[in-house]
Amino acid sequence: MNIHVPRGTEDLLPDVTKKWQVIEEKLNHLAQVYNYKEIRTPIFERTELFQRSVGDTTDIVQKEMYTFEDRGGRSLTLRPEGTASVARAYVQHKIHGSPEQPTKLYYVGPMFRYERPQQGRTRQFTQFGIEAIGSASPAIDAEVMAFAMECYQTLGLKSLKLVLNSLGDQESREAHRNALIEHFKPVKDELCQDCQNRLEKNPLRLLDCKIDRDHEAMKTAPSILDYLNEPSAEYFEQVKKHLDAMQIPYVVDDTLVRGLDYYTHTAFEIMSEAEGFGSITTLSGGGRYNGLIEELGGPDISGIGFAFSMERLLMALDAEGVELDKDESVDCYVIAIGEEAKYASSKIVYQLRKQNIKVDQDYLDKKVKGQFKAADRLGATYAVIIGEEELNNGVANVKNLKTGDQKSVEIEKIADEIKTGF
Ligand code: HAM
């Protein structure tokens, strides 16, 4: 039997990778415009990192991690997300000591979650994300959301919705937590096993449950917004004011809790409203994490960020019919006629490439007609034709395939001729 990719993973063939390249180029540019610098962290980390940051009672840590023991008996995990690693690196390298604060970082790379594969949900997916660490200003919350929206807008997407909530500070969360426990206690037995287990430990997770989503008690659950203390409510107001100032539309949804434990204050998601996008409409998610850096052994410094997967971005582009075009045609194709000319062809191709000219030649012993066809298929503007007679005279025929014009050119001068164009 042939071997296929593991379930929940996929090969990206050149007709897809070319779209990725267009996207990555635009995102790299956008990161520069917003003054974020790239960070690359390992694909696996110590398991404890995710237990302590993403949270022991989350679905990600309880059910979805690819965890293994290495030959030295250490428990390692393929990263399920990027924030924990960035926060770890920030603490490990004492980046908080650098004068450039907040530290604004971005990353692109594969993440792994053992989830049930479906459209928009794979076991290996590629996240693009940013983290701004070292500022507790509501202005940077707004900047991160503006960046998140811009990622999609710069690619031409329009049917987007920014959904916003506040999870408050520690005190507000504690008050809400107690209210949630009181609310769900009477119906505990009607909830799924996970929810029953989480009720005392982390009741916020109940609001994120996929099984009990339609339970009556979910609809009447206490809203976090009613439990925000004065500073948290004020912080939320200021975040909204910054968004208003930038004229970025949003809707507040007090049921948005996110699936990771490190969030405080701002939490947000961007949804696609495009018809035919599919059942999972969340394109990206993020929020503020005020205790995370400290939890990982760093100072009491807060951060905010967001991430999305390239896979869901591509789905949104498809749903909205946005084409990403990249010119992959070659400038030139070298056509050799006869055995001896093949050596000259290799030489010419090599020389032209050194001059940055996109060029290719035949490796299948095709006849002249076949080589012209290949040149056409590759979109070549010029063909360089070299036969025995040209070889003897140290020249080649350079033909502009678009106009039909041709010239005899000294072999050493072909690059100049093509660069100048005729
Ligand atoms: P998250 O909501 O778990 O947040 O994931 C962010 C995004 O990653 C999702 O909105 C989705 O685009 C993509 N994603 C997640 N799981 C899958 C999957 N199985 N298949 C395809 N795409 C997926 C985080 O990961 C946080 N680290 C975001 C963040 C950064 N918060 C603060 N900073």
Side-chain angles (χ1 to χ4, degrees), residues 285-298:
R288 176 164 279 285
Y289 39 89
N290 279 2
L292 179 59
I293 302 291
E294 206 177 7
E295 172 63 36
L296 297 178

Side-chain angles (χ1 to χ4, degrees), residues 183-403:
H183 176 77
F184 282 110
K185 238 188 204 162
V187 294
K188 184 176 175 185
D189 294 345
E190 297 164 26
L191 303 175
C192 76
Q193 199 53 49
D194 276 343
C195 283
Q196 294 192 22
N197 295 341
R198 290 166 178 170
L199 179 58
E200 301 288 338
K201 281 191 235 155
N202 192 354
L204 198 66
R205 289 274 72 84
L206 269 62
L207 303 180
D208 203 29
C209 177
K210 288 163 194 128
I211 300 167
D212 291 325
R213 199 171 20 206
D214 296 325
H215 192 286
E216 206 41 46
M218 293 292 170
K219 293 171 199 150
T220 52
S223 162
I224 177 70
L225 295 183
D226 294 332
Y227 290 83
L228 293 183
N229 59 14
E230 183 77 32
S232 299
E234 175 57 24
Y235 191 88
F236 193 35
E237 281 313 306
Q238 288 182 23
V239 171
K240 290 188 280 184
K241 242 170 124 176
H242 280 284
L243 288 173
D244 292 338
M246 293 190 249
Q247 295 185 320
I248 296 175
Y250 56 87
V251 289
V252 173
D253 177 354
D254 64 359
T255 65
L256 180 87
V257 293
R258 311 274 302 122
L260 306 94
D261 273 353
Y262 46 63
Y263 292 113
T264 52
H265 292 286
T266 310
F268 71 94
E269 289 185 350
I270 296 175
M271 327 287 280
S272 169
E273 296 198 299
E275 244 174 74
F277 180 69
S279 54
I280 300 175
T281 53
T282 306
L283 286 177
S284 67
R288 176 164 279 285
Y289 39 89
N290 279 2
L292 179 59
I293 302 291
E294 206 177 7
E295 172 63 36
L296 297 178
D300 180 14
I301 279 177
S302 62
I304 175 157
F306 86 96
F308 65 80
S309 68
M310 297 285 277
E311 289 78 359
R312 282 195 203 166
L313 166 60
L314 282 166
M315 277 170 60
L317 290 167
D318 273 351
E320 291 200 29
V322 178
E323 300 276 345
L324 298 176
D325 250 345
K326 185 173 182 220
D327 181 12
E328 293 197 313
S329 58
V330 298
D331 302 316
C332 176
Y333 196 87
V334 180
I335 294 171
I337 308 168
E339 276 310 303
E340 277 310 305
K342 284 183 182 164
Y343 300 103
S345 178
S346 281
K347 176 181 159 181
I348 295 169
V349 165
Y350 184 64
Q351 281 181 349
L352 295 187
R353 285 177 179 160
K354 279 212 183 284
Q355 297 281 323
N356 250 340
I357 292 171
K358 292 189 276 175
V359 53
D360 216 337
Q361 65 174 344
D362 169 55
Y363 295 104
L364 296 173
D365 283 333
K366 284 197 180 122
K367 301 221 167 64
V368 178
K369 205 169 151 199
Q371 294 188 51
F372 269 108
K373 266 196 187 158
D376 191 43
R377 213 175 15 252
L378 293 178
T381 309
Y382 295 96
V384 172
I385 306 134
I386 180 147
E388 212 172 312
E389 198 187 319
E390 287 83 10
L391 209 54
N392 291 335
N393 296 330
V395 294
N397 263 328
V398 182
K399 181 173 183 183
N400 183 324
L401 295 169
K402 314 284 174 197
T403 62

Side-chain angles (χ1 to χ4, degrees), residues 114-131:
Y114 189 82
E115 295 197 83
R116 192 171 61 77
Q118 53 182 296
Q119 213 201 9
R121 186 165 283 155
T122 46
R123 290 182 174 169
Q124 173 173 336
F125 53 97
T126 300
Q127 271 189 353
F128 173 91
I130 69 170
E131 310 295 342

